Amino acid sequence: MVRFIVRRLIGMVIVLFVVSVLVFLIFNVIPNSPPAQRLAGKNATPTLVKSIEEEWGFDESLPEQYVTMMKKVFTNELISYSPRVSVEDRIKEGIPATLSLAIGAGLIWLFWGMVLGYIAAVRAGGWLDKFLTGFAIAGVSIPVFLIGPVLIYFLTYKIELLPNAGYVPLTEDPWGWFKHLILPWTTIAILSIGFYSRVLRSNMLDSMNEDYVRTARAKGLSERQVMLRHVLRNSLIPIITLFGLDFGATIAGTALITETIFSYEGVGYYAAESIAKLELPPIMGVTLYGAFFVVAINACVDIAYAYLDPRVRLGTSAA
Amino acid sequence: MTIDPQPEAVPVAGGPGAAFPAAPEGVSPDRSPWYLAYKRFVRNRLAVSFLGLFVLIVIFVLAAPIWADNVAHTGPNESHTLQKLRVGDEVREVVTPEGRPIGPQWFEAGGKFFLGADSRLGRDEMVRLMYGGRTSLFIGVVSGLITTLVAVVLGLLAGYYRGWVDAVIARILDVLWSLPVLLFGIALGVSLAVSGLQIGPLTIEGGSNWIPIFVISIFTVPYVARPIRGEVLALGEKEFVEAAVAQGAGPLRVMFGEILPNLASTIIVFFTLNIANNMLFEAALSFLGAGVQPPNSSWGTMISVGEELLTTQPLLAIIPGVMIMLTVLSLNIVGDGLRDALDPRSKVRLEAHAGMVEPEGASV
Amino acid sequence: MKKIVLTFLVVALAAVGVIGLSSCGGSGNDTTGGGSSSGSGTTAEGGESEGEEGGILKATYASFPDYMDPQLSYTAEGWTAMGEVYIPLLTYKHASGAEGAEVVPGLAKELPKISNGEKTYTLFLRPGLKYSDGKPVKASDFLYAVERMFKVNSGGSVFYTSIVGAEQFAKTKQGGIPGIKTNDKTGEIQITLVEPRGTFENELALMFVAPVPQGTPNEDLSANPPPGTGPYMLVNVKPGQGWEYERNPEWAKANSKAMPEYPTGHIDGAEVDVIRNPQTQVNDIEQGKYDWMQNPVPAARYTEVKDKYEGSQFIVRDTISTYYFWMKTDRAPFDDQKVREAVNYAVDPAALERIYSGQLKGTQQILPPGMPGYSKFELYPHDMAKAKELIKEANPSDMNITVWTDTESPNNEAGEYYDGVLKELGFNTTLKIINADNYFTVIGNQSTPDLDTGWSDWFQDYPHPNDFFQPLLAGESILQTNNGNFANFDNPAFNKEISKLRAEQLGPEQESAYESMDEEIMKEAPWAPYGTRTLDTFVADNIELESIIYSPTFFEYLTSFEFKE
C-alpha cells in the first residue's frame, strides 16, 4: 500500500515536470511575439528592446530561462509581463471563486444525480427512468457555451432575475455570492446530473441481482433497508472515483469556459485571458496549478480506491 | 451499467464469434456476427432515428453550395453591410447605421437572410451555418480518423510487444491523459494559429483548419488508445493468438490479421463517439479563439460571435449551439446503439462526456 | 417506441422552445439593458456647475493601466489615471476640445525660453512646491526623473533621445545626461537638444518626465507609486484590481498657492475598481453602483445607451485618432501606386461606420479632424468600378496577399471587411487575426512573413501633427522590430519635410505645410485611412455631466468631476 502511494506521488512529480517543460517549449519555440518587443511598445527603439531583453533575461539561453522561471515558481516570484503583477497572487485571489464554482457545482450534480438515480433504479422502467436516460445523453451532448448564453439571455436579460456576470466573495455578501453563482452552477451541473444518475442507476440495478442482496432480503430486511444499506453503499464506490476524475477535469477545463462566459473572475478566467495574450508566466502558473489539481485528485482517487479494494490494500495484486 | 472496479482490467470480446451472444428473435444463429449485429441495431429504433437525424444534418451541410447559389445568392464570407433588402413595399437595411444586423427573414426576402445577418458585417447567417457545419463536421471526422488510426497502432504495438515498448507507450499515454486538456489545447491552438506548424517537410499555415485537427487529434489519442491497449493485452492471452504465433506468423500478421479484426467492434464504437467528442472539443477551442480561425467559420466560432450580440440577436448564438447539440447527441445515441448491437455483454461503457471520454476504471 | 418518442420530444421541445422564445421580440426593442435604473433621469438644465463639493467618486476601468508609474505608463488608462497626480514642468490647459491642446506652465513658472538656435530650453521651477509626502520639489528632480525614465526602459524614451547625451545614456545607463543642467537654488532647468525640435514643449508636458523625488527606485513601482504633486494622490494601489485617490494634503497647503491656475478638484477622492466585463460596467452605471466608467461603452450597448442617456448621462467625444489600412509599399503588389489608389477607392468609410456601430467618423486622410494642420480634402470618393479599372491597368504580378488585423472587436470585423474588399478587387487573400496584445509586435517585426497589408490605428500622444507623420510615415522610423511605419514608406522628399517641420515651432505656416503634406502623401497612398474613432463619457445620474472636461491627451480630468446637489 505504501509502495503504491509512493509510486503515485513520483508519477505526479514526473507529470508536473513534463507539463512545465511542454508549456515552456510551446511558448518559446513556436515563433509568435517575443515578449521583449511586446513590452517595448508602439514607439520603441532598438536600444529599448535590447535593454528590456537584458532586464528580463530574455537574452539567456532557453534552458537557463527555464531554470530561472522554475525557480521563480517555487519562490513565489513569478511575474507576468504586462501588467507586472505576481502570477501567484492573482491565482490565489482567483482560487476562492473557482473553488466556489467547482465544488458547488460538483455537490449539486452529485446530490441530484444520486437522488434521481436512486429513484430511477427503484422504479426502473418508469417514466422518470426513461426521462433521465434522455436527459443524461442530452446533458453530455450540449456544449457548455450553449447553456451558458441561453441561461444568461433568458434569466438575466429577458427576465431580470439574476446578475449576469461577476463574482462576489462569500465573506462580503453571502446572498450576492449565491445569486452570482446560481447560473454558473446550473450550467456546469446540467452536463453531469443525468449522466451520474444513470451511472448510479445501472450500478444499483447490477448490484440488486447480487447474492448478498438476496441474502439481506432473506434475512427479513425491508426493501428500503436493503436498498439503502447494501445496494446503495456498494454502488457508490465507483461513483466516487468517477466524481474525482470529473471534478479534476472541471477545475482544469469546464470551469475555464464557464468563467469566461460569465465573466467570473476565478482562475479559469485568468487562464483564458493569459493564453489569449500569449503571456508565458501566468500560463505556466495556471497550467501547473491545473495539472496539479488533476493529478492530485486522480492520485487521491486511486489511493482511496486502492484502500477500499482489499486486494490492493493487502498487496495481493500489482496495482 | 457498471464501471468496472478493477484498474486496468478490461473484459472484452473473445475470439471470433464469441463476441456476439444469442441472435435476436427471428434470426437464425448461423448467420455471420456482423449480420446479427446489424439486425440488433436495426431493432433499436432510438438509435436508428438518430442515425437518420445525423444523416439529415450531413445532407444539410452538404447542401450548402446549393442554398448559397440558388436561394441566398451569396457566399458565406461576403459582407453586405450597406445592402438594403426589398421586402414587399418595405426597404430594410441589412445592417443599420448603428450597427444592428437584421433579424431572421425566413422566406420573406425569398430566402435571403433566412436566419438574418450575422454581426455588423452583414453576412448571411444561414449560409454561414451550413458552411460552418461543413467545417465542424470535417474537423470532427478527420481528427476522429487520425486519432483512431494512431490509437489503434499504439494500442497494437503496446499490447503485442508488451515489455518496454508497452511501458514507454503506456507512460506517454498516461502523461498525455493527465494533462489539463483544454488548457493545453487552447495554448497550442493559439500559438499555432499565429505561426503555423512545420514538422519536417510538412508545413501547415497558421489559419488553416488542419491546425485544430492536429491539436484535437493529439489530445484525444489517449482516451482511445488506453482502452484499445487494454483489449489487445487481454486478447494477446487468448489461444488463437498463441496458435497463430506457433504457426510462425510474424508480428504484422498477428497484429493485423488476428487481433485487429477482434477489435473491430470496439474501434467502430470508439470512432463514432470520438467524432462527437472532437466536435465538442473543436467548438470549445473555436469559441475561445484557439480553434478555427476567421475568416473560416465553424459552429464554435459562430457561437463566439453571436455571444457578443446576445442581447440583440440571441439566435446568432443559440442556433449554431443547437446544431452542435443535435449532431453530438445523434452521434452519442448511435454510438450507444452500435455498442449495444456489437457487444451487448460488454462492461466497457464509454460516452463522450462533454470533452472527456470515460476511461474504464481509474488509474495512471 | 416510447423511449424514442420521449427522447425526441424532450430534445425537440427544448430546441424549438429555445429558438422560438428567443426569436420573438428579441430584436432589441427592449431598452432595459439589465438592471433597474434608479429612476431619476432629470438633469440640471443648462449644465452650469452648480454641483456640490466633496464626495467620493466610484469609478471603474475595464483594465488596469499598463503601469501605475509616471515614467512608464504609455496607455490611455494610465494617463487618465495619473494625469493629475503627477504634474510635469509643463501641462495642458484644462479645457475640452481644441482649447485643451494648448501647452501651459505646470510646475514651471512660465513656458520655456528657447534660445541657442532653438536648441536650448530654459525653465524655472516654481518655488514652494512639495510632493505628497512632504518632500520639497527640487529642480534636480527633473533630471532624476528623466534618467529614471531611461533606466526603467520606458516606452516613452523615444521622445527624449534628442537631448544631448540622452542617446548614450539610454544605451549604457551610465554617465548622466549632460544636456540637462539644473540649479536647485534658483530652480533653473536648462535642457539642450542635439537639434531643434518643435514638438519638445509638448513632450515636456507628458508624464514621462514628471519630477519624482530623488531616490525613487529605478524599477516599476505600480504597486507603490511614487509621491506626486497634483491635487490628488494615489493610495491603496492593488495592481490588476483597483486603487484609490485621496486629496493630496500638500496641494491645499502649498502647491495650489504656487499654481493658482491649476484646478483643485471638487471631489474629495475616488475609488476605482477594475471590472473586466464592459456590459457589467454599463449595468452598474445604470443602477448607480458606480459613477463613471473610464472605457467606452461597448458596441453592443452603444445605441441603447446613447438613445436613452445622451445629454443627461452620456456624451459622445471626438478623439484625435486615425484608423487605417497600411500597405507595404516596398513589395508587390502594393509597390505600385495605382494599386494603392485602387484600394482607397474601394474601401468605403460609410460601410465601416456601420461596422463600428456609429462609433467612427469616416475620413480618408492621415491627420484627423481636431489636429492642428487638418484641412479636409477628398481624393478618393468611393468608386468600386474605378478601383477595379485601376487594378486592371496596374496588372500586378503578385495577387496572393495576406491581410492582418487584431482580435479586438470591431477591428477584427473591419479587417474581415477589408479582406472582402480586396477579394472583390481580385486578390487572393489570406486573413490573419492576431490577439490585440501581440498584434503590433507581430506586424512590427519585419521578419514576420507575408506582411502585405493590414489594419492599424493611431491615437495622438500630443496634439502636434509630427506625432502622426514621424512615427508612422518617416523613413527613419522603419525599424527591424517594433516598427511603427507599417507601410515601410520611405520617400526622401517627405522625410526631409517631416524633419524640417519638426524642428520649427508650430505656427500657422507650419500648419498649412502639414495640410499640404497630408494631401501629397495621400496622393501616393501608402495607407487607406478610413476613419476617426469617437469615444464617450458615461456617468451615473448623480454626476454633473456638463462640468467634466475631456482633454484630447488625458481624456476625463479627475478634477472636473462633481456630484450634483
Side-chain angles (χ1 to χ4, degrees):
Chain A
M1 182 68 184
V2 176
R3 246 181 21 146
F4 180 75
I5 297 182
V6 168
R7 270 187 50 184
R8 297 295 276 105
L9 288 176
I10 295 181
M12 257 179 72
V13 172
I14 296 180
V15 169
L16 288 177
F17 172 69
V18 170
V19 166
S20 68
V21 170
L22 279 179
V23 170
F24 187 77
L25 285 178
I26 290 179
F27 287 94
N28 273 302
V29 170
I30 297 179
N32 36 64
S33 84
Q37 292 173 18
R38 193 153 28 106
L39 284 170
K42 58 176 174 170
N43 218 351
T45 59
T47 318
L48 182 63
V49 177
K50 187 145 188 316
S51 302
I52 294 183
E53 280 180 359
E54 283 163 13
E55 186 191 336
W56 285 85
F58 295 132
D59 49 352
E60 294 172 8
S61 72
L62 281 187
E64 274 175 1
Q65 285 189 48
Y66 175 74
V67 172
T68 316
M69 174 165 277
M70 286 296 107
K71 277 205 206 119
K72 289 201 187 136
V73 170
F74 287 110
T75 58
N76 205 358
E77 278 175 23
L78 200 60
I79 298 188
S80 62
Y81 300 139
S82 80
R84 289 187 223 194
V85 283
S86 159
V87 170
E88 282 152 26
D89 284 350
R90 272 295 300 270
I91 294 183
K92 278 203 206 111
E93 279 156 20
I95 287 185
T98 302
L99 284 183
S100 303
L101 179 63
I103 296 182
L107 290 175
I108 291 180
W109 93 56
L110 196 58
F111 176 74
W112 284 105
M114 297 304 95
V115 165
L116 295 175
Y118 178 83
I119 300 178
V122 167
R123 291 174 209 268
W127 63 268
L128 179 67
D129 185 16
K130 296 206 170 92
F131 170 75
L132 278 179
T133 311
F135 186 48
I137 301 198
V140 143
S141 313
I142 305 183
V144 179
F145 38 91
L146 172 63
I147 302 181
V150 165
L151 288 176
I152 290 179
Y153 180 72
F154 283 110
L155 294 178
T156 73
Y157 182 71
K158 272 294 223 329
I159 316 171
E160 290 160 26
L161 190 62
L162 292 165
N164 69 348
Y167 168 71
V168 174
L170 177 60
T171 48
E172 209 179 278
D173 175 13
W175 178 236
W177 173 83
F178 182 71
K179 266 204 309 188
H180 277 91
L181 273 167
I182 295 182
L183 287 186
W185 276 343
T186 312
T187 307
I188 297 183
I190 284 188
L191 301 175
S192 307
I193 290 183
F195 181 70
Y196 273 70
S197 65
R198 248 185 21 131
V199 170
L200 181 66
R201 169 196 174 276
S202 55
N203 283 1
M204 286 179 63
L205 286 178
D206 283 348
S207 303
M208 289 201 290
N209 297 323
E210 297 279 334
D211 288 342
Y212 70 89
V213 172
R214 276 193 290 149
T215 313
R217 284 205 191 100
K219 275 198 323 195
L221 289 172
S222 78
E223 194 60 21
R224 188 101 173 282
Q225 284 175 312
V226 169
M227 278 299 169
L228 284 176
R229 266 202 241 159
H230 292 282
V231 176
L232 186 59
R233 245 221 249 145
N234 285 299
S235 311
L236 280 180
I237 296 174
I239 302 248
I240 305 291
T241 61
L242 194 59
F243 180 74
L245 296 173
D246 272 348
F247 185 70
T250 299
I251 291 201
T254 319
L256 196 155
I257 305 182
T258 313
E259 289 185 18
T260 310
I261 298 174
F262 288 95
S263 290
Y264 180 89
E265 289 185 36
V267 182
Y269 188 85
Y270 184 47
E273 212 183 32
S274 315
I275 293 182
K277 285 158 66 165
L278 296 177
E279 280 240 344
L280 178 54
I283 294 175
M284 179 64 86
V286 173
T287 315
L288 284 176
Y289 145 92
F292 174 75
F293 249 103
V294 171
V295 167
I297 293 183
N298 286 354
C300 287
V301 162
D302 274 0
I303 293 176
Y305 207 85
Y307 180 74
L308 292 169
D309 185 343
R311 284 169 290 184
V312 179
R313 182 160 33 132
L314 299 173
T316 49
S317 79
Chain B
M1 188 193 113
T2 329
I3 300 293
D4 195 321
Q6 291 135 353
E8 298 279 17
V10 177
V12 90
F20 308 108
E25 326 88 58
V27 182
S28 155
D30 293 332
R31 298 291 206 130
S32 104
W34 292 106
Y35 182 74
L36 296 178
Y38 162 74
K39 271 292 182 193
R40 238 192 308 274
F41 183 81
V42 164
R43 270 158 217 265
N44 181 347
R45 309 240 190 88
L46 190 68
V48 169
S49 359
F50 275 91
L51 179 62
L53 179 61
F54 181 71
V55 168
L56 275 177
I57 294 177
V58 171
I59 295 178
F60 174 73
V61 304
L62 287 178
I66 304 178
W67 179 277
D69 291 336
N70 301 317
V71 182
H73 301 287
T74 178
N77 294 332
E78 277 172 42
S79 83
H80 301 278
T81 311
L82 291 173
Q83 204 188 323
K84 301 200 211 309
L85 280 183
R86 193 143 291 138
V87 177
D89 299 328
E90 235 188 288
V91 172
R92 297 184 191 162
E93 306 246 32
V94 171
V95 179
T96 66
E98 295 87 36
R100 180 163 297 144
I102 200 171
Q105 298 301 296
W106 310 114
F107 280 110
E108 286 174 13
K112 283 193 194 175
F113 295 102
F114 187 80
L115 291 175
D118 91 313
S119 82
R120 288 152 259 147
L121 285 168
R123 299 175 292 205
D124 191 320
E125 175 82 350
M126 182 64 160
V127 175
R128 279 179 79 75
L129 188 69
M130 296 170 125
Y131 276 94
R134 290 180 143 200
T135 310
S136 294
L137 277 169
F138 179 74
I139 295 183
V141 171
V142 171
S143 51
L145 283 170
I146 297 179
T147 301
T148 310
L149 199 67
V150 172
V152 166
V153 167
L154 284 180
L156 279 175
L157 287 176
Y160 179 79
Y161 283 108
R162 302 169 187 251
W164 67 267
V165 172
D166 179 32
V168 166
I169 293 185
R171 285 300 127 212
I172 295 180
L173 290 177
D174 285 344
V175 170
L176 263 181
W177 186 70
S178 313
L179 295 179
V181 165
L182 192 60
L183 276 172
F184 266 99
I186 305 175
L188 208 50
V190 167
S191 305
L192 291 177
V194 178
S195 65
L197 186 63
Q198 224 171 345
I199 314 178
L202 190 65
T203 314
I204 311 180
E205 280 259 345
S208 151
N209 286 336
W210 286 94
I211 302 271
I213 291 180
F214 172 72
V215 171
I216 295 173
S217 308
I218 292 188
F219 288 109
T220 48
V221 163
Y223 294 112
V224 184
R226 294 179 75 210
I228 290 194
R229 165 182 167 272
E231 275 209 41
V232 175
L233 278 173
L235 270 177
E237 322 227 329
K238 299 275 175 182
E239 296 88 12
F240 68 93
V241 172
E242 275 187 45
V245 172
Q247 280 178 343
L252 282 179
R253 259 291 295 282
V254 177
M255 282 197 282
F256 289 98
E258 303 288 339
I259 301 184
L260 186 58
N262 288 290
L263 291 175
S265 47
T266 315
I267 294 179
I268 293 178
V269 173
F270 267 109
F271 175 63
T272 312
L273 295 173
N274 190 236
I275 298 181
N277 191 19
N278 291 347
M279 288 188 70
L280 281 177
F281 194 11
E282 178 270 318
L285 287 179
S286 300
F287 176 75
L288 294 167
V292 174
Q293 298 295 316
N296 294 332
S297 69
S298 74
W299 285 334
T301 62
M302 290 174 72
I303 299 184
S304 167
V305 169
E307 216 215 340
E308 258 185 62
L309 290 160
L310 190 62
T311 49
T312 46
Q313 297 288 3
L315 279 184
L316 294 178
I318 293 180
I319 292 203
V322 168
M323 292 303 291
I324 296 180
M325 187 191 90
L326 290 177
T327 314
V328 170
L329 185 65
S330 316
L331 284 169
N332 274 334
I333 293 185
V334 169
D336 246 22
L338 282 175
R339 182 182 53 220
D340 283 343
L342 290 169
D343 214 354
R345 242 185 0 189
S346 168
K347 292 191 180 226
V348 179
R349 289 301 195 169
L350 312 111
E351 259 139 10
H353 180 65
M356 192 175 92
V357 173
E358 273 318 314
E360 74 301 350
S363 70
V364 168
Chain C
M1 193 57 203
K2 273 211 271 194
K3 216 162 81 154
I4 317 170
V5 173
L6 210 52
T7 316
F8 250 140
L9 272 179
V10 168
V11 168
L13 244 129
V16 167
V18 161
I19 296 180
L21 279 172
S22 46
S23 53
C24 324
S27 27
N29 278 332
D30 323 278
T31 43
T32 50
S36 42
S37 59
S38 33
S40 58
T42 50
T43 21
E45 212 53 46
E48 280 297 301
S49 58
E50 281 293 305
E52 62 177 36
E53 295 296 299
I56 304 285
L57 185 77
K58 285 193 61 80
T60 161
Y61 283 49
S63 54
F64 194 83
D66 55 342
Y67 301 101
M68 197 66 98
D69 186 321
Q71 267 72 54
L72 278 167
S73 179
Y74 201 167
T75 57
E77 287 87 9
W79 288 18
T80 305
M82 294 187 283
E84 298 199 289
V85 177
Y86 301 98
I87 304 180
L89 293 178
L90 303 177
T91 185
Y92 287 95
K93 188 153 175 215
H94 270 63
S96 297
E99 252 193 276
E102 190 187 330
V103 177
V104 298
L107 296 187
K109 277 193 201 148
E110 293 166 341
L111 290 181
K113 280 206 189 14
I114 308 177
S115 56
N116 185 15
E118 301 199 338
K119 289 192 286 193
T120 300
Y121 288 68
T122 310
L123 307 107
F124 286 87
L125 194 64
R126 299 184 206 236
L129 291 168
K130 293 217 169 65
Y131 294 105
S132 54
D133 64 354
K135 286 205 194 85
V137 180
K138 298 192 283 216
S140 47
D141 290 346
F142 172 74
L143 173 57
Y144 187 81
V146 178
E147 289 185 1
R148 176 169 189 264
M149 184 205 58
F150 282 112
K151 285 198 179 147
V152 295
N153 293 322
S154 167
S157 321
V158 66
F159 294 121
Y160 307 98
T161 47
S162 50
I163 302 178
V164 169
E167 186 87 56
Q168 182 68 6
F169 185 78
K171 286 206 186 82
T172 61
K173 312 280 198 283
Q174 284 168 3
I177 303 179
I180 302 180
K181 294 197 182 18
T182 65
N183 184 331
D184 283 339
K185 278 211 208 70
T186 60
E188 177 178 351
I189 299 171
Q190 195 188 77
I191 310 165
T192 308
L193 304 178
V194 164
E195 53 183 10
R197 189 175 172 90
T199 56
F200 197 62
E201 268 184 17
N202 280 294
E203 287 150 1
L204 283 177
L206 295 180
M207 233 173 15
F208 291 116
V209 291
V212 288
Q214 292 175 49
T216 304
N218 289 319
E219 56 184 25
D220 172 26
L221 289 178
S222 297
N224 192 5
T229 50
Y232 296 104
M233 60 183 188
L234 293 167
V235 295
N236 283 342
V237 178
K238 294 200 209 63
Q241 291 185 291
W243 66 96
E244 290 169 24
Y245 297 94
E246 279 176 13
R247 282 201 187 272
N248 175 359
E250 295 301 333
W251 180 262
K253 278 196 250 170
N255 296 357
S256 61
K257 299 192 180 65
M259 286 192 280
E261 321 85 52
Y262 199 100
T264 293
H266 305 279
I267 53 180
D268 288 328
E271 288 164 11
V272 184
D273 291 326
V274 173
I275 297 182
R276 277 169 246 274
N277 184 335
Q279 298 255 11
T280 312
Q281 289 174 310
V282 172
N283 294 344
D284 286 344
I285 305 262
E286 286 186 316
Q287 294 168 17
K289 285 204 205 130
Y290 282 89
D291 302 318
W292 168 59
M293 56 186 278
Q294 174 264 347
N295 47 297
V297 171
R301 306 287 297 274
Y302 182 74
T303 320
E304 169 205 324
V305 168
K306 183 158 174 269
D307 288 342
K308 206 167 160 192
Y309 298 106
E310 187 161 27
S312 57
Q313 292 174 231
F314 178 84
I315 187 166
V316 177
R317 305 282 193 189
D318 289 331
T319 64
I320 304 197
S321 62
T322 300
Y323 278 59
Y324 61 98
F325 300 116
W326 44 268
M327 297 174 265
K328 283 272 189 240
T329 57
D330 57 355
R331 62 196 78 164
F334 296 111
D335 52 355
D336 184 338
Q337 184 172 321
K338 285 218 179 81
V339 173
R340 303 197 298 265
E341 288 175 7
V343 170
N344 271 287
Y345 279 110
V347 168
D348 188 358
L352 285 155
E353 281 178 1
R354 287 186 198 204
I355 291 177
Y356 281 78
S357 304
Q359 288 175 298
L360 181 90
K361 292 196 183 149
T363 165
Q364 288 182 289
Q365 303 179 212
I366 297 170
L367 294 176
M371 171 65 88
Y374 168 82
S375 139
K376 187 165 170 168
F377 55 82
E378 198 171 342
L379 282 175
Y380 304 107
H382 179 64
D383 190 346
M384 194 43 126
K386 177 132 191 221
K388 287 188 180 158
E389 215 185 282
L390 279 168
I391 297 281
K392 231 161 79 187
E393 282 174 38
N395 197 14
S397 48
D398 183 4
M399 293 297 273
N400 294 325
I401 55 178
T402 306
V403 181
W404 299 77
T405 185
D406 81 2
T407 51
E408 200 183 315
S409 181
N411 302 329
N412 61 335
E413 276 136 2
E416 293 194 54
Y417 164 81
Y418 183 47
D419 181 71
V421 165
L422 292 170
K423 277 201 169 76
E424 219 186 310
L425 287 177
F427 287 98
N428 190 0
T429 65
T430 312
L431 181 64
K432 280 202 200 237
I433 306 195
I434 310 288
N435 182 278
D437 288 286
N438 297 307
Y439 180 65
F440 290 102
T441 313
V442 171
I443 61 171
N445 189 339
Q446 303 276 12
S447 44
T448 304
D450 302 321
L451 282 177
D452 291 314
T453 179
W455 171 87
S456 184
D457 68 356
W458 181 259
F459 281 73
Q460 64 153 24
D461 294 310
Y462 46 76
H464 191 295
N466 183 63
D467 189 53
F468 274 70
F469 287 109
Q470 183 195 332
L472 307 175
L473 290 164
E476 70 194 54
S477 302
I478 302 180
L479 297 177
Q480 191 51 36
T481 69
N482 292 82
N483 181 28
N485 181 343
F486 301 116
N488 281 1
F489 186 66
D490 192 0
N491 180 314
F494 290 122
N495 293 344
K496 221 161 125 202
E497 179 76 353
I498 291 175
S499 300
K500 168 174 173 289
L501 285 172
R502 177 180 71 225
E504 298 168 14
Q505 297 293 320
L506 189 64
E509 212 185 287
Q510 288 73 28
E511 285 189 26
S512 93
Y514 277 119
E515 278 169 32
S516 8
M517 186 158 67
D518 191 346
E519 194 168 351
E520 292 305 306
I521 294 186
M522 275 316 295
K523 288 197 181 131
E524 303 222 6
W527 293 355
Y530 61 87
T532 180
R533 182 75 195 259
T534 60
L535 297 177
D536 53 64
T537 301
F538 184 40
V539 293
D541 59 1
N542 58 344
I543 301 286
E544 281 285 356
L545 183 67
E546 304 289 319
S547 55
I548 298 177
I549 300 179
Y550 193 81
S551 152
T553 311
F554 293 99
F555 308 109
E556 288 94 345
Y557 275 123
L558 198 58
T559 51
S560 63
F561 280 91
E562 58 180 326
F563 287 95
K564 289 192 188 152
E565 307 256 288

